[in-house]
Amino acid sequence: MKPIQVGLLGIGTVGSGTFKVLQRNQEEIRRRAGRGIEIAMVADLDAARARAIVGDAARVVTDAREVIASPSIDIVIELIGGCGVARTLVLEAIGAGKHVVTANKALLAVHGTEIFAAA
């Protein structure tokens, strides 16, 4: 079965940790879930830093909307933080039919009702 294709929005401290954990645990994820999870795209304004972290394992872009618009991406993980741009991108991802994961407590506290209604 084809691996689930994931796009990361932001590869700072949390994003790089998420990337490394998913990379390191591929076999266990596949064994438990019956399907792999592959980070296919990473969006970050600092493309050089992102490439240094992901190497050739994922496509790096500077525009998060490229991740959202990609028909191959199944899940968008928002790790930007804050409530402004993060809210906009999460709502756009939901509107594009993507599953969305976020660790952004501030976003959910302030805009959770709107985001859950959109989902």
Side-chain angles (χ1 to χ4, degrees):
M1 183 176 279
K2 176 182 164 258
I4 296 168
Q5 301 293 295
V6 174
L8 286 182
L9 307 184
I11 193 141
T13 302
V14 175
S16 63
T18 301
F19 178 82
K20 290 172 186 172
V21 165
L22 288 174
Q23 291 292 98
R24 183 175 57 241
N25 294 302
Q26 280 297 306
E27 286 305 315
E28 185 65 16
I29 291 167
R30 199 171 1 266
R31 186 182 69 74
R32 288 186 182 195
R35 189 172 180 190
I37 296 176
E38 177 181 303
I39 298 179
M41 291 181 77
V42 173
D44 198 280
L45 293 175
D46 188 342
R49 179 187 63 184
R51 282 188 195 92
I53 294 167
V54 306
D56 294 331
R59 180 172 168 223
V60 173
V61 297
T62 56
D63 184 353
R65 287 182 171 95
E66 284 188 58
V67 175
I68 293 167
S70 175
S72 67
I73 297 296
D74 302 306
I75 299 173
V76 172
I77 302 178
E78 180 278 313
L79 299 169
I80 296 169
C83 293
V85 172
R87 173 190 162 272
T88 301
L89 294 172
V90 163
L91 290 172
E92 287 180 16
I94 292 168
K98 308 294 183 183
H99 297 283
V100 175
V101 176
T102 184
N104 190 335
K105 294 180 288 295
L107 176 67
L108 295 179
V110 175
H111 299 289
T113 302
E114 176 186 19
I115 290 167
F116 297 139

